[in-house]
Amino acid sequence: MKNVAAFSTLMTKVVERQRHLPGMACFSGYSGYGKSRSAVYGAGKYRAAYVELEQYTTAKSMMQMILAELGINRPKGSVPELISQAIEIMAGDVYRPLIVDEAHYIASKKFVDVLRTLHDKSGAPVILIGEETLPKQLEAFERVHNRMLTWVQAVPLDAEDFAILARTVCPSIKIASDLAAAILQETSGNTRRIIVNFDEAEQRAKRLGTESLDLKAFMTFGPIIGNKAPLPRAY
């Protein structure tokens, strides 16, 4: 699908860049666009190390996650010691990228510069993945921002990708064109919400005893699950 292809292209660009070029990159977009799945799928080609940050990630916990992904069992030491260990390992294989997912959680914190240090001192690519705010957040850290070789925005699902996803996720039913168009519109192309509606479509088709579902039939059991909160039920 398009985001998988876009992330794969990004990976190739930073890994196979000329050595005088910076090797950081940013892949960002709205929640539910399939960024993480694209990263996991695209990471295999280059044996990328992949870590996923959280709201309460600290510099030390981030480095421990990175080192664990790089093969160190129960990494120990101060933050500078952990950074030195990671640089040594990464420098030993400069064609193996480090992917840092949910990077928006640390993009407003000073220790985001640790990722720039890992890149600069090892020569290995470092790719940041995060929500749509990530590029703007990184503007506050010029030393990180100017290491970016490429910025790629994830895109919402379109009709072509919708058809591919439908065949993959719910092959047992046929979704009519009017229902497909309505789901795309109501979800604004959000992949996660679309998959939820595919599950609904399967359940509703079973209840109706049909293998083909159009918009009218789908709406028999309620509206499409979209971007807006459901209205309270009237009694």
Side-chain angles (χ1 to χ4, degrees):
M1 305 223 291
K2 291 177 179 62
N3 286 331
V4 172
F7 187 80
S8 180
T9 300
L10 177 153
M11 290 273 288
T12 299
K13 185 170 184 176
V14 293
V15 173
E16 300 181 9
R17 74 192 190 282
Q18 296 183 47
R19 290 296 105 183
H20 68 277
L21 292 172
M24 295 187 72
C26 179
F27 185 58
S28 60
Y30 288 97
S31 174
Y33 277 14
K35 300 183 300 297
S36 296
R37 288 184 178 271
S38 297
V40 171
Y41 184 86
K45 180 178 179 180
Y46 293 104
R47 304 172 295 106
Y50 176 91
V51 297
E52 184 175 342
L53 307 185
E54 299 174 349
Q55 185 176 358
Y56 299 107
T57 296
T58 63
K60 186 164 188 174
S61 64
M62 180 181 74
M63 289 311 307
Q64 288 172 330
M65 285 189 286
I66 290 172
L67 280 166
E69 183 67 15
L70 292 173
I72 301 298
N73 186 32
R74 296 183 180 179
K76 297 179 180 180
S78 65
V79 171
E81 289 169 341
L82 296 172
I83 292 171
S84 295
Q85 291 178 58
I87 289 169
E88 183 178 356
I89 296 170
M90 293 169 68
D93 189 353
V94 297
Y95 293 99
R96 185 186 185 191
L98 168 64
I99 299 173
V100 181
D101 200 357
E102 305 286 359
H104 52 274
Y105 283 128
I106 68 161
S108 59
K109 301 176 181 179
K110 289 183 178 179
F111 71 85
V112 70
D113 195 58
V114 169
L115 299 175
R116 190 271 311 165
T117 299
L118 295 179
H119 161 66
D120 284 0
K121 295 191 175 181
S122 71
V126 176
I127 300 165
L128 308 186
I129 300 174
E131 294 188 355
E132 75 282 358
T133 58
L134 181 58
K136 186 67 176 178
Q137 287 175 290
L138 292 175
E139 285 184 2
F141 299 91
E142 175 60 19
R143 284 155 62 86
V144 177
H145 196 276
N146 68 25
R147 266 35 172 220
M148 295 292 166
L149 181 64
T150 185
W151 304 82
V152 176
Q153 291 279 337
V155 297
L157 208 75
D158 61 12
E160 182 182 12
D161 275 350
F162 183 98
I164 295 171
L165 191 62
R167 291 196 297 268
T168 303
V169 175
C170 53
S172 62
I173 63 169
K174 180 181 179 181
I175 295 178
S177 59
D178 63 342
L179 177 56
I183 291 175
L184 271 173
Q185 180 177 350
E186 290 298 318
T187 61
S188 300
N190 185 294
T191 307
R192 188 177 293 121
R193 287 194 172 101
I194 288 170
I195 290 174
V196 169
N197 279 287
F198 284 162
D199 181 70
E200 278 292 318
E202 285 189 316
Q203 298 303 318
R204 296 179 189 193
K206 287 179 182 178
R207 292 168 71 179
L208 291 168
T210 182
E211 295 181 352
S212 179
L213 204 64
D214 62 12
L215 179 59
K216 182 179 179 180
F218 184 95
M219 298 287 282
T220 301
F221 301 104
I224 292 168
I225 301 170
N227 300 333
K228 297 179 180 178
L231 296 173
R233 182 179 297 178
Y235 292 96

